Amino acid sequence: MLDPQAQQLLQLMVERGVPAFNAQTPVEARQAYLMRKGFTQPEPPEVSHCHDHLVDLNGTRIKVREFRPLGVSATQTLPALVYYHGGGWVIGGLDSHDAVCRSLANKSGAAVLSVDYRLAPEHRFPAAAEDALCALRWASENADVLGVDANRIAVGGDSAGGNLAAVVAQQRPVPIRFQLLIYPVTDGLMSHGSYEENKNGPLLTRSGMAWFWNHYISGATKPDDPRVSPLFAKGDSIAGAPPALVITAEF
């Protein structure tokens, strides 16, 4: 049975007429996603510091939004969480996950660096994965400037962001201490039972997931490539990965 709060949220979305992602164009879906976040999230909590960095990553410029928690001094060196937002690699961004990242910063006591990676289908695989890797490397290389401890860097994300975090943790361009994987997407073959059990939702359907996957990889690689499906990684990629907290939900 769905949690009562989840039922209320779904009813609110029905009342607001929020359409299915795969019934829209990517641009329309992005607008609808922001609208949904606008009435389903609490007010963004206050943090001690919030700043957007414009980062040049191998010729591509993306934003990384830095959050520092309340109650820490400007000079205090903190652990860092490099965070990748969810949205099926197609939707979402810094603004849709602003409140989440603020909350994570305050509750963890770590600096959070939210990565505005390039979105599909305008930028298909491997763009998002490359941005995720490069942003992590940038955070490590600029740790002193950012006021973070290069030896205490974690990666995290929700949904597609959890996918990117797991992919990055398996490749490890710099030392990583921890993975925070919030219902991560791990199986591009869509071969597990949940894809059938929950094919009609609630909210996210099998056809909706196919819409996201098709926009992201679209023939650029095979769906079981570990760089898009970290569940299929083997050997040292798995054995050497840092500890992970994997958060799932029944539906």
Side-chain angles (χ1 to χ4, degrees), residues 70-91:
L70 282 175
V72 301
S73 69
T75 59
Q76 185 174 345
T77 300
L78 302 175
L81 171 66
V82 179
Y83 193 84
Y84 310 109
H85 67 81
W89 313 276
V90 175
I91 62 179

Side-chain angles (χ1 to χ4, degrees), residues 19-243:
F21 296 123
N22 54 309
Q24 305 170 84
T25 67
V27 172
E28 291 169 340
R30 289 167 194 156
Q31 294 171 343
Y33 189 58
L34 275 176
M35 179 185 73
R36 189 186 88 186
K37 288 287 185 179
F39 65 78
T40 61
Q41 285 193 355
E43 285 297 311
E46 183 181 357
V47 292
S48 68
H49 177 79
C50 176
H51 177 72
D52 285 356
H53 300 269
L54 191 58
V55 182
D56 192 343
L57 306 177
N58 293 333
T60 297
R61 304 189 85 186
I62 67 169
K63 285 184 180 180
V64 176
R65 182 167 293 173
E66 173 192 357
F67 303 90
R68 290 177 71 85
L70 282 175
V72 301
S73 69
T75 59
Q76 185 174 345
T77 300
L78 302 175
L81 171 66
V82 179
Y83 193 84
Y84 310 109
H85 67 81
W89 313 276
V90 175
I91 62 179
L94 298 182
D95 292 338
S96 66
H97 284 65
D98 185 86
V100 170
C101 290
R102 287 169 178 265
S103 181
L104 282 170
N106 285 339
K107 293 181 179 180
S108 68
V112 175
L113 302 170
S114 180
V115 180
D116 197 26
Y117 57 86
R118 289 172 290 171
L119 298 177
E122 295 89 343
H123 304 283
R124 301 184 192 277
F125 174 84
E130 288 179 347
D131 289 353
L133 285 163
C134 289
L136 173 63
R137 190 178 293 112
W138 170 83
S140 177
E141 292 173 351
N142 292 275
D144 288 344
V145 176
L146 294 167
V148 302
D149 185 346
N151 295 312
R152 292 191 295 164
I153 294 179
V155 293
D158 60 288
S159 195
N163 167 281
L164 294 173
V167 168
V168 165
Q170 289 176 0
Q171 298 193 28
R172 299 183 296 284
V174 300
I176 301 172
R177 293 287 295 273
F178 182 70
Q179 305 173 70
L180 172 63
L181 309 180
I182 305 170
Y183 42 84
V185 184
T186 60
D187 175 15
L189 294 176
M190 303 198 304
S191 60
H192 281 70
S194 60
Y195 273 100
E196 180 62 27
E197 294 163 11
N198 300 296
K199 65 181 179 182
N200 296 319
L203 187 60
L204 186 59
T205 63
R206 181 185 176 91
S207 58
M209 280 302 302
W211 183 85
F212 284 119
W213 275 115
N214 290 337
H215 279 310
Y216 181 44
I217 59 176
S218 189
T221 188
K222 295 180 179 179
D224 60 353
D225 182 335
R227 296 173 300 165
V228 296
S229 293
L231 188 67
F232 298 111
K234 298 178 181 178
D236 291 343
S237 294
I238 294 293

